[in-house]
Amino acid sequence: MDLSGIGAIAAAAAATISVPATLMVGRWQIRSALDTAERAHEAALATVQATAASTHDQWRRSVRRDAFVQFVLRATEVAWLTVPSDPGTTAEVVKAAEAAVEEALHQVRAAYYIVRLESPELAHTASRLLEAVQRSAAADWRWAAYRRAMGVVELLEAEAGTRFDDVHEALRRLFWAADADADDRQHDRHGEVSNARNDAQQELLALDQLTDDQISTLVNMQTSPVDLIDLTDAVDEAREEFLRAAHSELNDSAPTSGASQTSS
C-alpha cells in the first residue's frame, strides 16, 4: 500500500475515534449546564420561599401588635368613662352613661378574645387585665350610685337644716358589724349584721324622698364596700404586666438579621 492509502486509512481511523470523544464532551457540557441551571433554580426557589416566609412572619407580627394595641386602648377607654355621681342627674343621663360603660366593656372583651386568638401565650396576662378593668368599672358604677343616693340624704339635711345623726350612725354600725363578721372566723356574727341591716333600713325608710333602689344602694355599700384606689392600682399593674409580656413576645417573633439569607 502506498503512502496515500496509508494516510487515508489513518484519517478515517482518527475520524472514527474523534466522534465518540466529541459526543462525550457534549454530554459533559450539557450535564454541567443542567446542573448549573438546577442549582440556580433551587437557589431562586429558596430565596422566594425565604422571602415569603419572612413577609408572612412580619404580617403576623403586625397583626399581633395591632391586637395588643387595641386591647390596651380599649381597656384604658373604660377607665376614662365615668357615671354621674351628682344627685341631681336625671335618670336618662345616668342610663346613657351606664350604656356607654357597657359598650366600652363589650369592646374590651372583643379585643381580649382577639388577643387570645392571635397569641394564646398571652391569655393569662390578658385575662388579668380584663378582669381588673371589669371589677374597676363595676366599682365605679356602684360608687356613683352610692354618691347619688347619699347626695339625696345630704340635700334633705340641707333643707332640714340639721344632720340626720341616727341615719349615719345606723349605717356606721352596719359597716362595722359586716366588717367584723368578715374578719372574725371563730364566731357567727350574721345575726348582728342582720339586725344592723334592719336598723339601717328602718332609718332610711323614714326619709320618704329616698327610693327603694337608693336605700338598697346605701345599705349594700356598708356590707360590701369598694376600694377604688386599690382597684385602680390593680388595673395599672395588670396593664403594665400585659405590656411587658406583649413587648417580649413581639421581640421574640422579630426576624433576625440574615434570617432570609440562603446558602449558595
Side-chain angles (χ1 to χ4, degrees):
M1 182 179 298
D2 57 13
L3 292 177
S4 61
I6 294 173
I9 293 174
T16 302
I17 294 173
S18 66
V19 170
T22 301
L23 292 175
M24 291 293 293
V25 172
R27 289 178 180 175
W28 288 337
Q29 292 175 338
I30 293 173
R31 181 176 298 173
S32 177
L34 290 175
D35 290 343
T36 300
E38 184 175 1
R39 285 195 298 271
H41 172 73
E42 291 175 351
L45 181 60
T47 299
V48 171
Q49 291 174 337
T51 301
S54 177
T55 301
H56 178 73
D57 291 343
Q58 291 176 2
W59 172 77
R60 285 299 309 277
R61 185 169 180 268
S62 177
V63 169
R64 287 196 296 271
R65 182 178 61 248
D66 290 344
F68 301 160
V69 169
Q70 286 301 314
F71 180 49
V72 173
L73 287 178
R74 296 301 184 187
T76 304
E77 286 173 0
V78 174
W80 289 344
L81 294 175
T82 59
V83 176
S85 59
D86 190 321
T89 307
T90 64
E92 291 75 13
V93 172
V94 172
K95 288 181 179 178
E98 292 174 345
V101 173
E102 283 287 2
E103 176 60 23
L105 288 172
H106 171 72
Q107 294 294 333
V108 77
R109 291 187 196 104
Y112 160 73
Y113 285 114
I114 294 175
V115 169
R116 283 190 56 183
L117 179 64
E118 294 295 336
S119 297
E121 300 82 0
L122 296 187
H124 176 67
T125 53
S127 177
R128 282 197 59 192
L129 177 54
L130 175 62
E131 291 172 2
V133 167
Q134 291 180 140
R135 286 195 298 268
S136 181
D140 286 339
W141 195 320
R142 286 188 61 207
W143 181 254
Y146 171 75
R147 285 307 312 158
R148 290 196 303 273
M150 185 55 71
V152 173
V153 175
E154 293 168 353
L155 288 174
L156 295 174
E157 290 177 326
E159 292 176 0
T162 184
R163 190 173 187 273
F164 301 151
D165 291 332
D166 291 342
V167 171
H168 293 288
E169 181 60 26
L171 291 174
R172 187 160 43 249
R173 285 199 305 268
L174 174 58
F175 173 80
W176 287 116
D179 187 59
D181 181 55
D183 291 340
D184 194 341
R185 301 179 184 277
Q186 296 180 348
H187 300 86
D188 184 2
R189 297 180 179 270
H190 293 314
E192 295 180 26
V193 175
S194 179
N195 291 335
R197 178 188 290 273
N198 290 335
D199 290 343
Q201 288 175 334
Q202 291 303 314
E203 292 292 343
L204 292 169
L205 284 170
L207 304 179
D208 295 336
Q209 293 86 342
L210 287 176
T211 66
D212 290 341
D213 286 343
Q214 290 170 334
I215 292 174
S216 296
T217 295
L218 291 169
V219 169
N220 291 335
M221 185 59 74
Q222 311 311 311
T223 58
S224 301
V226 296
D227 191 328
L228 296 180
I229 295 178
D230 282 353
L231 290 170
T232 300
D233 289 344
V235 172
D236 293 340
E237 292 172 4
R239 181 168 49 227
E240 288 302 316
E241 180 185 3
F242 176 80
L243 286 172
R244 286 194 298 269
H247 186 266
S248 177
E249 175 161 328
L250 290 175
N251 281 345
D252 290 343
S253 63
T256 57
S257 60
S260 63
Q261 294 179 356
T262 58
S263 59
S264 59

